[in-house]
Amino acid sequence: MATVSALGYALLCALHRGPLTGYELVQRMRKPIGYYWTAQQSQIYPELARLSANGLIEHDAEAGPGPRQRKTHRLTAAGREALAGWLVEPPAPRAFRDETLLRTYALAAADPEGMREFYLAEAETYQRRLDAFQEQHADLLSRHADDPSHPQFGAYATLELALAGTPPRIRWCRWMAEQMAELARRREPSG
Amino acid sequence: MATVSALGYALLCALHRGPLTGYELVQRMRKPIGYYWTAQQSQIYPELARLSANGLIEHDAEAGPGPRQRKTHRLTAAGREALAGWLVEPPAPRAFRDETLLRTYALAAADPEGMREFYLAEAETYQRRLDAFQEQHADLLSRHADDPSHPQFGAYATLELALAGTPPRIRWCRWMAEQMAELARRREPSG
DNA sequence: GGAGACTATGTCAAAATTGACATAGCAAGG
DNA sequence: CCTTGCTATGTCAATTTTGACATAGTCTCC
């Protein structure tokens, strides 16, 4: 059996609830799924071809806008099986990259006032994200997605984690901004 | 002026407190910095050469073990300036990838009992990580690194965020395991 | 005395990812 | 009428990242 890349599994995940066109998959990798797994258009179309060649997905084609056909992709039985098998596998250790933490590590080399503004901007970014998550969370709750047997419980659960993890991050950003203000005061003790 | 990649800035960050050999940088990109920015050996050596060609770092060379010279790299004035400028820049939106959340999104396609074990294993992984962070945090505190003017305040601050963010994640993993147990009970209501 | 780990440098091919380009119909607003 | 945006498919070159290979001295444990 052919090996499937992480992106391949991401696409299988996106298709688990029903058929989608390549274009719709591109949208999904931006908005709901893009919050925890992103991919460019230029990655998605070749990967769909690969999954198809491996028999994990199949598609119907109709006439579409533009010069090419519009294809609606869905999981095959083999695809569903491959997905189910992967889901319960212990995850291979993945590179985790956080530019904000990287900058924080080298804090001592930066201007405190500049860093203060940086952390305040970060806090605002995360606050906006939190607001959006809360809206989606409320929407899913109103559709009773908090029931583990609800088909959208998975999407609901990802928001639960975001809602638990984002406020501590916002508080940390604000705390960092305060620390930077304090540092700036000490360095330039003007009256 | 030549543009510097994210990895390049990561190396400048690693060098902000003093000179290091390539080998030591490889270690740093695994342990302290590796928690938020990773890089392989095969990336680091060419990137050091690039930074050097751009005049952002320079090195002394001595005889080393093995067939090549041992080089100790340090920031130049230009490197220090480039780092300081980058640190306060608003970060370019970066791809964030979380395999656990990806799996959670497609939960409905998986076996609940298998997923329960998956989440319990995740909780344990994060618990071990938290223990390690707490140890390092206590160590830095004993050296008064919680003072924003302390040279290691940046490292201390990264641990502060980890300590705030990890417990909610562990709680979420345990909650998910419970939900999966509940789901398994419902599907197989044996007496 | 030999096996394995650590210090220390680097290369190479393959895979994954990004960003820009290319084609086209259809709809909406000014 | 013209521009902008949306649907829809794909390609291409360049960059980034991964994983494996290669060399060689020292040190520690069995």
Side-chain angles (χ1 to χ4, degrees), chain A residues 22-23 41-42 45 68-71:
Chain A
Y23 184 75
Q41 195 172 317
S42 51
Y45 285 106
R68 295 190 187 87
Q69 288 188 300
R70 174 192 143 104
K71 296 173 188 168

Side-chain angles (χ1 to χ4, degrees), chain A residues 78-129:
Chain A
R80 206 160 271 283
E81 199 181 324
L83 175 58
W86 175 76
L87 284 171
V88 296
E89 257 173 46
R94 274 206 162 265
F96 170 75
R97 294 192 162 96
D98 187 324
E99 241 180 66
T100 298
L101 280 174
L102 180 58
R103 283 161 205 255
T104 300
Y105 176 78
L107 203 61
D111 165 56
E113 180 52 35
M115 287 311 281
R116 192 183 133 266
E117 279 165 35
F118 172 84
Y119 287 116
L120 286 178
E122 278 284 292
E124 257 183 76
T125 301
Y126 278 102
Q127 183 62 56
R128 267 196 294 279
R129 204 175 298 181

